[in-house]
């Protein structure tokens, strides 16, 4: 009954709208931070209305496992798109599957974005030498 009353009174809808606005602002902030950082020059963002995630493609020759391992050493957990495919050379999605990572930004505080991007950039630039 409590949940039904919560929804009937419009509280759930207001909550969803607040969360959408909050995460939209967070997404916009991290995408802007990526564009303005060194990482912007060595990556491409794919963000087709993906909720709390987006895809980040690194322009590198490093294999996905090496990038993931390096990121983990920097305290960053990311998943490669190739982790989800039987054939990581598959390209029917209209974007490269190798060197493309699923980024979940919901748990990162906005003020931490610059440090996270600095660490992530070090993982990619090390591999480009």
């Amino acid at each position: 009954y409590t949940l039904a009353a919560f929804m009937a009174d419009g509280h759930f809808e207001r909550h969803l709208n607040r969360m959408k606005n909050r995460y939209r602002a967070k997404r916009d902030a991290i995408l802007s931070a990526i564009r303005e950082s060194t990482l912007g020059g060595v990556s491409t963002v794919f963000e087709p209305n993906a909720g709390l995630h987006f895809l980040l493609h690194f322009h590198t020759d490093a294999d996905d496992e090496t990038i993931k391992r390096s990121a983990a050493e920097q305290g960053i957990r990311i998943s490669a798109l190739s982790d989800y495919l039987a054939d990581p050379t598959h390209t029917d999605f209209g974007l490269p599957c190798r060197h493309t990572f699923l980024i979940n930004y919901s748990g990162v505080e906005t003020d931490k974005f610059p440090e996270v991007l600095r660490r992530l950039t070090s993982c990619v630039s090390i591999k480009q030498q």
Side-chain angles (χ1 to χ4, degrees), residues 60-63 66-67 70 73 122-129:
T60 182
D61 292 330
D63 64 271
T66 301
I67 294 172
S70 181
E73 290 168 3
S122 74
C123 298
V124 177
S125 60
I126 290 170
K127 310 309 178 239
Q128 291 182 326
Q129 295 176 355

Side-chain angles (χ1 to χ4, degrees), residues 4-79:
F6 182 79
M7 293 177 77
D9 291 342
H11 298 297
F12 184 63
E13 187 173 341
R14 283 191 296 278
H15 168 73
L16 288 179
N17 288 332
R18 276 193 309 272
M19 292 297 99
K20 280 191 230 175
N21 290 334
R22 176 181 177 190
Y23 286 114
R24 182 180 303 119
K26 194 173 216 182
R27 183 197 66 219
D28 292 347
I30 193 164
L31 294 177
S32 177
I34 289 170
R35 281 190 300 274
E36 295 170 8
S37 74
T38 306
L39 191 59
V42 296
S43 66
T44 303
V45 174
F46 299 96
E47 52 136 355
N49 297 319
L52 302 175
H53 301 82
F54 60 87
L55 297 174
L56 185 62
H57 176 76
F58 296 119
H59 308 288
T60 182
D61 292 330
D63 64 271
D64 293 353
E65 288 301 316
T66 301
I67 294 172
K68 282 186 350 185
R69 191 171 32 259
S70 181
E73 290 168 3
Q74 293 286 330
I76 300 169
R77 193 175 83 203
I78 57 176
S79 298

